Amino acid sequence: QVQLVESGGGLVQDGGSLRLSCAASGNTICISTMGWYRQTPGKERELVATISAGGNTYYTESVKGRFTISRDNPKNMLYLQMNSLKFEDTAVYYCNADSRCVGLVDYWGQGTQVTVSS
Protein backbone atom coordinates (compact mmCIF):
# COMPACT_ATOMS: atom_id res chain seq x y z
CA GLN A 1 0.00 0.00 0.00
CA VAL A 2 1.06 3.55 -0.78
CA GLN A 3 -0.45 6.67 0.73
CA LEU A 4 -0.28 10.04 -1.04
CA VAL A 5 -1.02 13.40 0.58
CA GLU A 6 -1.09 16.61 -1.47
CA SER A 7 -0.59 20.13 -0.18
CA GLY A 8 0.04 23.60 -1.53
CA GLY A 9 -3.19 24.40 -3.31
CA GLY A 10 -5.00 27.68 -2.84
CA LEU A 11 -6.28 30.86 -4.43
CA VAL A 12 -3.99 32.84 -6.70
CA GLN A 13 -4.44 35.65 -9.20
CA ASP A 14 -4.05 35.20 -12.93
CA GLY A 15 -0.34 35.16 -13.73
CA GLY A 16 0.65 34.03 -10.26
CA SER A 17 2.49 30.94 -9.04
CA LEU A 18 1.85 28.00 -6.75
CA ARG A 19 3.88 24.97 -5.77
CA LEU A 20 2.09 21.70 -5.09
CA SER A 21 3.69 18.98 -3.00
CA CYS A 22 2.82 15.31 -2.62
CA ALA A 23 4.19 13.22 0.23
CA ALA A 24 4.31 9.47 -0.35
CA SER A 25 4.42 6.94 2.46
CA GLY A 26 4.00 3.22 2.93
CA ASN A 27 5.56 0.84 0.43
CA THR A 28 7.32 3.62 -1.48
CA ILE A 29 10.08 1.32 -2.73
CA CYS A 30 7.55 -0.02 -5.26
CA ILE A 31 6.75 3.39 -6.78
CA SER A 32 7.86 3.96 -10.36
CA THR A 33 6.24 6.77 -12.36
CA MET A 34 4.52 9.59 -10.49
CA GLY A 35 2.32 12.30 -11.87
CA TRP A 36 -0.14 15.11 -11.42
CA TYR A 37 -3.67 15.07 -12.80
CA ARG A 38 -6.46 17.61 -12.54
CA GLN A 39 -10.22 17.61 -12.71
CA THR A 40 -12.97 20.21 -12.96
CA PRO A 41 -16.66 19.54 -12.28
CA GLY A 42 -18.34 17.66 -15.08
CA LYS A 43 -15.10 16.82 -16.87
CA GLU A 44 -12.82 13.80 -17.05
CA ARG A 45 -9.68 13.78 -14.94
CA GLU A 46 -6.82 14.87 -17.20
CA LEU A 47 -3.10 14.24 -17.13
CA VAL A 48 -0.98 17.31 -16.35
CA ALA A 49 2.56 15.94 -16.04
CA THR A 50 4.46 12.76 -15.21
CA ILE A 51 7.96 11.93 -14.09
CA SER A 52 9.63 8.53 -14.17
CA ALA A 53 11.80 7.13 -11.41
CA GLY A 54 14.79 8.14 -13.51
CA GLY A 55 13.58 11.70 -13.99
CA ASN A 56 12.11 11.60 -17.50
CA THR A 57 9.23 14.06 -17.72
CA TYR A 58 6.11 14.52 -19.80
CA TYR A 59 3.79 17.54 -19.92
CA THR A 60 0.43 18.04 -21.48
CA GLU A 61 0.63 20.71 -24.16
CA SER A 62 -1.34 23.36 -22.29
CA VAL A 63 1.16 23.55 -19.40
CA LYS A 64 4.46 23.25 -21.27
CA GLY A 65 6.80 26.08 -20.39
CA ARG A 66 4.72 27.07 -17.37
CA PHE A 67 4.69 24.01 -15.08
CA THR A 68 7.65 21.97 -13.83
CA ILE A 69 7.33 18.53 -12.28
CA SER A 70 10.07 17.20 -10.02
CA ARG A 71 10.61 14.51 -7.41
CA ASP A 72 12.90 13.91 -4.48
CA ASN A 73 13.20 10.15 -4.28
CA PRO A 74 15.06 9.91 -0.93
CA LYS A 75 12.35 12.09 0.66
CA ASN A 76 9.49 10.38 -1.23
CA MET A 77 8.21 13.74 -2.42
CA LEU A 78 6.65 14.90 -5.69
CA TYR A 79 6.32 18.56 -6.66
CA LEU A 80 4.58 20.65 -9.28
CA GLN A 81 5.80 24.22 -9.71
CA MET A 82 3.10 26.16 -11.50
CA ASN A 83 3.97 29.57 -12.96
CA SER A 84 2.02 31.99 -15.15
CA LEU A 85 -1.21 30.44 -13.91
CA LYS A 86 -4.35 31.00 -15.96
CA PHE A 87 -8.02 30.90 -15.07
CA GLU A 88 -8.36 27.64 -17.02
CA ASP A 89 -5.82 25.98 -14.69
CA THR A 90 -8.47 26.08 -11.95
CA ALA A 91 -9.13 22.49 -10.87
CA VAL A 92 -8.62 19.91 -8.17
CA TYR A 93 -5.11 18.57 -8.59
CA TYR A 94 -4.37 14.94 -7.75
CA CYS A 95 -1.08 13.19 -7.10
CA ASN A 96 -0.70 9.76 -8.69
CA ALA A 97 1.83 6.97 -8.22
CA ASP A 98 2.31 3.71 -10.08
CA SER A 99 3.34 0.83 -7.85
CA ARG A 100 4.97 -2.14 -9.59
CA CYS A 101 5.93 -4.64 -6.89
CA VAL A 102 2.84 -6.80 -7.40
CA GLY A 103 1.50 -6.12 -10.87
CA LEU A 104 0.64 -2.50 -11.64
CA VAL A 105 -1.38 -0.64 -9.03
CA ASP A 106 -2.42 3.02 -9.24
CA TYR A 107 -2.56 5.12 -6.10
CA TRP A 108 -4.19 8.54 -5.74
CA GLY A 109 -4.09 11.35 -3.24
CA GLN A 110 -7.21 13.10 -1.96
CA GLY A 111 -6.67 16.15 -4.16
CA THR A 112 -5.93 19.81 -3.54
CA GLN A 113 -7.93 22.71 -4.94
CA VAL A 114 -6.21 25.30 -7.12
CA THR A 115 -8.27 28.37 -7.94
CA VAL A 116 -6.99 31.05 -10.30
CA SER A 117 -8.93 34.30 -10.25
CA SER A 118 -9.20 36.23 -13.49
Side-chain angles (χ1 to χ4, degrees):
Q1 288 275 357
V2 172
Q3 294 78 42
L4 303 171
V5 178
E6 302 100 333
S7 61
L11 174 65
V12 64
Q13 287 189 329
D14 187 88
S17 298
L18 279 176
R19 188 194 196 205
L20 304 183
S21 299
C22 173
S25 61
N27 208 2
T28 57
I29 195 171
C30 297
I31 294 175
S32 57
T33 298
M34 300 186 76
W36 290 97
Y37 290 70
R38 64 187 180 188
Q39 189 171 23
T40 54
K43 292 190 176 180
E44 297 274 327
R45 190 171 296 186
E46 67 166 348
L47 173 65
V48 176
T50 62
I51 184 167
S52 70
N56 294 319
T57 58
Y58 167 85
Y59 298 92
T60 194
E61 192 64 35
S62 63
V63 307
K64 282 182 181 177
R66 300 189 298 122
F67 291 10
T68 303
I69 189 171
S70 61
R71 64 193 287 176
D72 184 333
N73 291 328
K75 293 183 179 180
N76 297 313
M77 293 294 297
L78 177 71
Y79 304 100
L80 185 68
Q81 179 65 45
M82 304 186 293
N83 298 328
S84 302
L85 281 161
K86 304 176 182 180
F87 175 75
E88 50 265 40
D89 294 318
T90 296
V92 178
Y93 284 70
Y94 295 91
C95 175
N96 171 268
D98 289 344
S99 176
R100 294 178 179 263
C101 281
V102 182
L104 176 59
V105 180
D106 251 351
Y107 290 96
W108 295 91
Q110 82 288 350
T112 186
Q113 176 71 47
V114 172
T115 302
V116 184
S117 62
S118 57

